[in-house]
Amino acid sequence: MVAQVTMKDLQSPVEPTWCPGCGDYGILNAVKRALVQLGIPPHQVAFFSGIGCGSKLPDYIRANGFNSLHGRPVPIAQGFKLAHHDMVVIVVDGDGDNYGIGGNHWLHVMRRNIDITHIVQNNMVYGLTKGQYAPTSMKGFVSSTSPEGTIEWPINPIAIALAAGATFIARGFAGDPKHLADLIAKGIQHKGYALIDVFQPCVIFNRINTYDWFRERIYKLDDDPNYDPHDKRMAWEKAHEWGDRIPIGIFYINEDQPTLEEQIPALAEKPLYQHEIPPKLEDLEVLKLMFV
């Protein structure tokens, strides 16, 4: 039975300070919708964020939350998940936070396949620090740090996730909270690492990749009856589709790979925090004799 959870249960007393029209409002709404849809009460979910506009989300939802350093929410969320793998763990950060400074942590959480849901707010710019170009900014993007247009090519989060071994890869749009909520809910239900890259328009510092710009281009993979998200080759082809048509939805699912915590005997028995620490004296003596 799904617990009766309402949007009101998740309402924080802290009012968002995002700019009017920011895509983060749509993401916050979608996150709440997903938790309500799955019947996950506030005390059973923990949010981890870094530094950035979107990383304020844990303040704006009534649930457990931890605001970490820039680029560092992923390893902290991993540590929490290993200690409390009976909890739903969600990381929420921006494209600069995760794909930039936190890129190394991101690569390794994907190959480990720890059971967390990772929502990356991709606005293709550094919003909080006043509009510098980001790892996802399109080539030629004019910003405060690239007045003549950036000469760098943007990274491809979907392709990188596929190559790194992520077992659930999706992309959503902040302008469609209902569809995004469904993606987040499926990511939470997935056993393993789930990436949900979200197009999140920044209405102040990115006047190129606007709501209208995305709406003219995006289409849903769900609407293609021939697309199979279990086919990695098809996912790889769709990951590189960009321009007049840009796909959103679930790119890839691998349900056969065990999670990191499932492969650790102590965690398979029960959550780490339920184990007796320190161990009993007789257990330590047995351990010591093994090295004599």
Side-chain angles (χ1 to χ4, degrees):
M1 294 292 291
V2 176
Q4 292 298 312
V5 179
T6 67
M7 297 288 276
K8 186 176 180 180
D9 294 329
L10 301 166
Q11 183 66 40
S12 168
V14 181
E15 289 294 325
T17 57
W18 294 318
C19 303
C22 175
D24 285 328
Y25 286 101
I27 295 175
L28 175 61
N29 180 276
V31 169
K32 290 181 178 179
R33 283 174 179 251
L35 295 177
V36 169
Q37 179 180 326
L38 298 176
I40 301 173
H43 69 277
Q44 289 184 352
V45 60
F47 288 90
F48 294 84
S49 67
I51 299 297
C53 296
S55 289
K56 298 176 183 178
L57 186 143
D59 291 332
Y60 305 149
I61 188 168
R62 182 174 169 267
N64 302 291
F66 188 97
N67 188 225
S68 75
L69 299 174
H70 190 35
R72 305 295 181 251
V74 166
I76 295 172
Q78 287 182 86
F80 181 89
K81 184 66 179 184
L82 289 175
H84 297 265
H85 69 276
D86 53 344
M87 293 275 287
V88 172
V89 175
I90 301 175
V91 175
V92 182
D93 58 358
D95 52 322
D97 191 282
N98 184 65
Y99 302 144
I101 192 171
N104 186 51
H105 298 303
W106 179 48
L107 290 177
H108 294 294
V109 73
M110 289 189 285
R111 71 179 182 84
R112 290 173 182 143
N113 197 38
I114 194 165
D115 188 18
I116 65 175
T117 303
H118 193 173
I119 302 168
V120 181
Q121 302 140 314
N122 187 352
N123 58 15
M124 304 182 185
V125 71
Y126 280 101
L128 185 67
T129 51
K130 311 306 180 190
Q132 298 88 345
Y133 75 91
T136 49
S137 298
M138 294 194 302
K139 193 176 189 304
F141 181 74
V142 176
S143 72
S144 59
T145 48
S146 56
E148 297 181 358
T150 174
I151 61 174
E152 300 174 8
W153 288 101
I155 68 165
N156 186 329
I158 305 301
I160 292 174
L162 277 166
T167 55
F168 182 100
I169 305 169
R171 178 195 281 153
F173 175 45
D176 190 346
K178 185 176 180 181
H179 179 254
L180 179 57
D182 186 55
L183 294 178
I184 294 173
K186 289 176 179 175
I188 293 172
Q189 289 177 310
H190 174 72
K191 291 300 180 183
Y193 173 81
L195 171 69
I196 297 138
D197 181 75
V198 185
F199 290 143
Q200 176 251 313
C202 175
V203 296
I204 303 299
F205 295 111
N206 188 343
R207 303 299 178 88
I208 303 298
N209 309 112
T210 63
Y211 286 97
D212 289 340
W213 188 92
F214 283 116
R215 288 193 176 104
E216 290 172 3
R217 291 165 173 79
I218 60 174
Y219 71 94
K220 296 174 182 176
L221 291 170
D222 323 35
D223 296 335
D224 183 353
N226 298 315
Y227 185 73
D228 180 8
H230 297 90
D231 187 328
K232 200 168 189 176
R233 187 182 298 272
M234 293 182 71
W236 184 254
E237 292 177 358
K238 289 296 182 181
H240 291 86
E241 189 173 346
W242 188 268
D244 294 337
R245 282 171 58 80
I246 302 173
I248 64 172
I250 299 175
F251 283 76
Y252 182 66
I253 304 175
N254 178 356
E255 298 164 314
D256 298 325
Q257 186 172 326
T259 65
L260 177 66
E261 51 271 38
E262 286 175 335
Q263 300 176 76
I264 301 174
L267 297 185
E269 178 188 347
K270 57 185 176 181
L272 187 61
Y273 73 90
Q274 294 181 4
H275 286 262
E276 185 175 352
I277 301 176
K280 296 177 181 178
L281 183 59
E282 53 266 32
D283 293 336
L284 291 175
E285 287 297 324
V286 171
L287 180 62
K288 183 177 70 175
L289 291 173
M290 292 173 61
F291 294 92
V292 172

